[in-house]
Amino acid sequence: MKSLSDRPVYLISDLHLDAGRESTIQLLLDFLRGPASRARALYILGDLFEAWIGDDAAGPMEDRVADALKSLSETGVELFFMAGNRDFLVGDDYCRRAGMRRIVEPFELDQTDPAAVLMHGDILCTDDHAYQRFRRKVRNPDWQRRVLSRPLWWRRILASLARSISRRQNRNKPEFIMDVNTDAVAETFARHDVEWLIHGHTHRPAIHDLEIDGKPCRRVVLGDWHAERGSAVRIDNGQVELLSLDRNAKDHIALTPLTPES
Ligand code: MN
């Protein structure tokens, strides 16, 4: 058995867990029992859940996920949770139940070789002005406190309204607006003394080789999880790999590296 500090660190995002998508939930539970159980730490970079309207609305699916995460954390694997644009209302209560520590973006991961800056990714989509306005509003602690003090039925209506508005708006947005902005990426590298940026959100898994101010940088985009396929980044022994996560013939989790592209 490798000592804890020699073990890899895994990062995942955009699982969009929903009670109606059992195969993705199963894939996560198998990932937690498999590769993640041999890790030093697991970082969840947002959108673990498709929707979240308060810890008090957690049902059997959310309980199962919390139990599985908690058992993993009790074996010594450190768990970290960063909010995404769908589950930004996940609270301290749920994090405690799941054995996760909350981290806030941009988060500098300096316990690994190489170091990296971590984000969910939506904050980099600065071309989408309407979304950034919405984001500023709903990430405001006062707004969140007000909303969370409302009854559950009211929050359910608000969430379904927000979803249908966002669906309608996104249908009419050109592709580039939904992706990260080049200047926002360059600013992130300028502000943090790291060569790696890892984020999710756009569901466009890739490793982008960049040169910013004469310095080589890499932006790694995690993919989303759906049905029997997931995505993860592994940092191990000075290496960063973007992995596709599938079930192999023996019903084990298979991790296949994706190659860099520009
Ligand atoms: Mn997202």
Side-chain angles (χ1 to χ4, degrees):
M1 187 81 161
K2 281 182 167 183
S3 86
L4 211 60
S5 59
D6 290 335
R7 296 198 204 170
V9 167
Y10 283 100
L11 303 98
I12 56 175
S13 72
D14 303 281
L15 288 86
H16 295 273
L17 297 180
D18 179 291
R21 290 182 221 158
E22 181 59 27
S23 56
T24 309
I25 300 164
Q26 271 309 324
L27 191 62
L28 170 65
L29 299 183
D30 291 343
F31 174 71
L32 297 180
R33 277 190 294 260
S37 72
R38 297 180 289 274
R40 164 155 55 108
L42 172 66
Y43 288 80
I44 302 171
L45 302 185
D47 289 358
L48 172 61
F49 296 102
E50 173 72 0
W52 199 271
I53 56 168
D55 292 3
D56 53 342
M61 185 276 284
E62 292 82 357
D63 291 347
R64 267 168 82 204
V65 172
D67 290 347
L69 289 166
K70 181 78 175 174
S71 324
L72 179 61
S73 81
E74 283 169 348
T75 68
V77 179
E78 287 190 284
L79 304 182
F80 298 91
F81 174 79
M82 175 184 283
N85 56 300
R86 291 186 165 269
D87 53 8
F88 56 83
L89 284 178
V90 167
D92 293 340
D93 180 54
Y94 188 78
C95 285
R96 203 173 313 116
R97 284 176 49 202
M100 312 187 285
R101 242 180 299 158
R102 183 193 294 283
I103 53 173
V104 175
E105 67 187 332
F107 181 81
E108 276 193 36
L109 177 61
D110 53 12
Q111 307 289 303
T112 51
D113 172 28
V117 62
L118 313 180
M119 292 178 161
H120 175 60
D122 56 329
I123 203 166
L124 297 168
C125 301
T126 51
D127 292 317
D128 193 343
H129 302 291
Y131 172 71
Q132 293 299 334
R133 263 197 309 278
F134 170 79
R135 187 182 189 281
R136 275 193 296 276
K137 178 171 126 180
V138 301
R139 292 304 190 91
N140 179 310
D142 289 331
W143 184 91
Q144 296 191 355
R145 252 193 307 276
R146 265 202 313 279
V147 165
L148 289 173
S149 70
R150 299 290 201 128
L152 261 180
W153 64 264
W154 188 92
R155 281 178 269 156
R156 286 209 174 90
I157 295 173
L158 179 72
S160 85
L161 267 174
R163 258 196 307 277
S164 67
I165 291 171
S166 138
R167 251 199 304 272
R168 201 168 49 233
Q169 285 179 344
N170 288 346
R171 253 204 307 273
N172 299 321
K173 280 175 192 166
E175 274 287 291
F176 81 90
I177 283 190
M178 310 282 285
D179 205 350
V180 301
N181 171 287
T182 324
D183 293 341
V185 171
E187 264 166 46
T188 304
F189 279 113
R191 223 173 299 139
H192 302 274
D193 191 24
V194 293
E195 287 172 16
W196 293 82
L197 163 62
I198 304 171
H199 69 82
H201 181 65
T202 59
H203 302 187
R204 299 174 192 197
I207 301 176
H208 299 279
D209 272 314
L210 309 166
E211 197 184 298
I212 292 168
D213 293 333
K215 189 179 88 174
C217 298
R218 276 182 170 182
R219 179 171 71 91
V220 185
V221 188
L222 285 153
D224 63 321
W225 290 42
H226 49 269
E228 292 283 294
R229 166 132 335 156
S231 177
V233 164
R234 179 170 57 205
I235 307 180
D236 194 16
N237 277 323
Q239 278 213 346
V240 181
E241 286 174 298
L242 177 60
L243 307 163
S244 157
L245 210 136
D246 302 89
R247 227 179 269 286
N248 66 17
K250 285 185 184 150
D251 222 22
H252 290 148
I253 298 288
L255 298 165
T256 322
L258 268 74
T259 46
E261 58 179 74
S262 301

